[in-house]
Amino acid sequence: MKNLNIKCNALLSGVMLPLLLSGCGLKGGWLTTVGPDYHTPELPAAKRWYAPPPVLAHHGELTELAHWWEKFNDPVLNRLLAAAQAESADVANAKARIGQARASLVSSGSQFLPSVDGSLSSTRSSFSFGQAPFIRNQHQLELQSSWELDLFGGLARQQEAGLSQLASRTAAWHDARVAVAAELANAYLAQRYCEAQLRLNQADAQSRQASARVVGIAAQAGFRTTADAALARASAAEGQNTLLQQQASCDRSVKSLVAMTGLEEPQLRQLLAQPSGAVASLPKPPPFPINAVPAKMLLQRPDVAAAERDMAEASAKIGVAQAKRYPKLSLSGNIAPVLQNINGGALTLAQTWSIGPTLSLPLFDAGKRAADVEAAKQDYAAATAQFHAVVRTAVKEVEQALVRLASAGQRLPQAHAATRDYQSHYQAAKQAYEVGLGNLLDAETSRRSAVAADLAVKDLEQEQVSAWIALYRAVGGGWVD
């Protein structure tokens, strides 16, 4: 037994421990590291933005994107955002892919260290040589260890690819979170915009019904023509039809929010109705600055970060494929002490152990390994093209959001002026009709123009908020790695 302990210690101390230490600290191949060394590319973006920068209305306080939604001061929006994040299948799937990448990284990292397996067996057997049978009891413990020496850096490149994949999956998770936040915010904005339209349509429908009643009474008394009465009734019916249509649109919008948040519809409607002052009120986004240099701004977009890490992963996999074209050296060891006795006699110890290297040489594979290297290079070329496409898309989205913001800001004052003038014209036409100096058709036409002008203002206000949300999404949102 003493000799067994000595040999076990010799095996572990003389072979395993140095291998463990060298494997833990290995950063590349023992001889060399094949494959290209990856360098982060410069972002293929212009030196400046060509769309007009956002004008920070009223010198609003500049806020960090990570807390941008909180600055809306809209508790309903915050509640719906949290629910949508928890319910989103895209976010859940992206998070699960992070777990897969972590597991893959652990698997690739484990290849640097020796693997150790053990087995324990016990047998009872009988044999004879023409005489009384012998009964043998045998108990065996076996330890096996193997380790591949990373001569040409294939394992190091594999771990490098795993690290890049984990970073890419993490960025993709943040991109999914930002996308869900922007999608929910736009759906919530659409609901509030619909409520604003509904309120205007309700007021218009009530006004039309009141006018129809007054004109009907006047027609019965002979002060208005039957044509005026018919026109007033038609106008009231048209207003009611528009109101019902708008109500249906708002109900459909609620259904969309229910699907996105997973909340029960009664609960969601209760949230939307509280506080009562929030009904028909569009959320007010706080302004935020964007970096004047596109390349610096684009670095904070998670989809750009993910595409760049995909390039790094593809680059590392070229080295993985190239390493398979070179010799492979592995070291294996085995120790197996056996305790046995025959016919109930004293136990005796038999022991075997072995240790030695194995060198495998790739001789002929009909071009498979070379083809694998070429395929890896093409994957890297595809990842590079995808990276450039993502950057171009990112620049486009920022530029378009800036254009939308600038356009809405320029048009809003004009829309407000048009609303005031249309209201003045309507009041004048209404008064002229009431005193008999005008006709009902002119008054109704003026009313419709005034209502359309009010709706145009709400539409522009909605467009402005939507543009801020689009800009938030375009610059990468508030994700933190």
Side-chain angles (χ1 to χ4, degrees):
M1 185 65 70
K2 182 177 180 180
N3 292 336
L4 174 62
N5 291 336
I6 292 175
K7 289 176 179 178
C8 284
N9 290 335
L11 178 63
L12 292 174
S13 300
V15 178
M16 302 296 287
L17 185 58
L19 298 185
L20 285 169
L21 294 176
S22 61
C24 290
L26 192 61
K27 298 299 183 183
W30 284 60
L31 300 180
T32 186
T33 303
V34 298
D37 292 328
Y38 178 76
H39 300 285
T40 304
E42 293 186 4
L43 291 180
K47 300 299 182 183
R48 63 181 181 86
W49 301 112
Y50 291 97
V55 178
L56 303 181
H58 308 298
H59 306 287
E61 179 183 358
L62 304 181
T63 59
E64 296 181 6
L65 286 179
H67 307 287
W68 188 58
W69 299 114
E70 299 173 5
K71 300 298 181 180
F72 275 71
N73 294 320
D74 191 330
V76 177
L77 175 59
N78 293 338
R79 174 72 177 85
L80 297 183
L81 283 171
Q85 292 283 341
E87 190 69 19
S88 172
D90 291 339
V91 173
N93 291 338
K95 192 171 184 179
R97 286 193 289 270
I98 292 178
Q100 293 172 349
R102 285 201 180 104
S104 178
L105 182 60
V106 171
S107 176
S108 63
S110 67
Q111 299 180 71
F112 286 98
L113 302 176
S115 64
V116 179
D117 298 307
S119 63
L120 181 65
S121 64
S122 181
T123 60
R124 182 181 177 87
S125 59
S126 173
F127 61 94
S128 66
F129 300 98
Q131 301 176 353
F134 294 91
I135 303 300
R136 181 172 64 183
N137 297 308
Q138 180 174 299
H139 313 284
Q140 177 174 317
L141 170 66
E142 183 175 11
L143 293 176
Q144 296 178 330
S145 178
S146 63
W147 184 58
E148 178 185 345
L149 279 71
D150 192 19
L151 296 181
F152 298 96
L155 298 181
R157 292 298 190 193
Q158 185 64 51
Q159 189 177 50
E160 180 184 332
L163 288 169
S164 297
Q165 183 188 69
L166 178 58
S168 174
R169 298 284 176 84
T170 302
W173 174 56
H174 289 299
D175 188 49
R177 293 168 60 203
V178 172
V180 167
E183 183 181 1
L184 186 279
N186 276 317
Y188 178 70
L189 174 62
Q191 174 61 28
R192 291 308 192 196
Y193 174 57
C194 191
E195 291 172 357
Q197 290 178 301
L198 185 62
R199 176 169 291 185
L200 289 173
N201 289 330
Q202 285 174 337
D204 181 56
Q206 291 171 359
S207 177
R208 292 188 186 207
Q209 288 177 348
S211 296
R213 285 194 300 270
V214 172
V215 174
I217 293 172
Q220 290 177 357
F223 295 106
R224 289 287 184 265
T225 65
T226 56
D228 282 350
L231 179 60
R233 291 194 301 271
S235 177
E238 183 182 15
Q240 190 64 25
N241 178 67
T242 302
L243 177 61
L244 293 173
Q245 184 180 15
Q246 189 63 43
Q247 182 64 62
S249 178
C250 292
D251 288 339
R252 291 196 302 271
S253 179
V254 170
K255 306 296 184 184
S256 297
L257 286 173
V258 168
M260 294 180 64
T261 61
L263 299 175
E264 295 293 335
E265 185 168 331
Q267 180 186 6
L268 179 60
R269 287 187 180 276
Q270 186 178 8
L271 280 173
L272 292 172
Q274 295 178 356
S276 58
V279 177
S281 176
L282 298 180
K284 295 180 173 54
F288 59 86
I290 64 170
N291 198 300
V293 180
K296 292 182 179 179
M297 187 285 300
L298 293 175
L299 289 175
Q300 71 187 27
R301 276 183 63 121
D303 58 341
V304 173
E308 188 274 330
R309 286 294 85 197
D310 288 341
M311 284 179 60
E313 179 186 357
S315 174
K317 286 184 175 180
I318 296 175
V320 174
Q322 287 181 341
K324 293 178 180 179
R325 304 186 67 187
Y326 293 87
K328 181 185 296 185
L329 179 64
S330 59
L331 191 63
S332 60
N334 175 278
I335 184 168
V338 179
L339 291 173
Q340 63 181 357
N341 67 355
I342 298 177
N343 288 341
L347 287 171
T348 59
L349 174 66
Q351 50 184 307
T352 61
W353 65 271
S354 64
I355 185 172
T358 300
L359 182 65
S360 60
L361 303 174
L363 297 179
F364 178 74
D365 61 1
K368 178 182 182 304
R369 292 182 179 87
D372 289 343
V373 173
E374 183 60 28
K377 290 180 179 179
Q378 294 304 315
D379 288 342
Y380 176 73
T384 301
Q386 179 62 22
F387 172 70
H388 289 176
V390 169
V391 172
R392 289 194 300 270
T393 299
V395 172
K396 178 196 71 174
E397 290 176 352
V398 174
E399 294 274 11
Q400 288 180 340
L402 292 175
V403 169
R404 289 177 61 189
L405 268 178
S407 176
Q410 292 169 353
R411 291 154 58 200
L412 261 174
Q414 305 300 323
H416 283 297
T419 297
R420 290 192 300 268
D421 290 339
Y422 275 122
Q423 282 291 343
S424 298
H425 181 268
Y426 167 61
Q427 293 300 327
K430 180 181 178 182
Q431 291 174 2
Y433 173 72
E434 291 174 349
V435 298
L437 299 178
N439 60 69
L440 183 59
L441 179 59
D442 291 339
E444 285 300 320
T445 301
S446 180
R447 181 208 303 277
R448 294 178 185 182
S449 297
V451 171
D454 287 336
L455 289 173
V457 169
K458 289 299 180 184
D459 185 67
L460 275 175
E461 290 175 348
Q462 187 263 357
E463 168 65 17
Q464 189 175 53
V465 179
S466 178
W468 275 111
I469 294 173
L471 184 61
Y472 166 87
R473 175 73 178 89
V475 300
W479 72 285
V480 179
D481 193 358

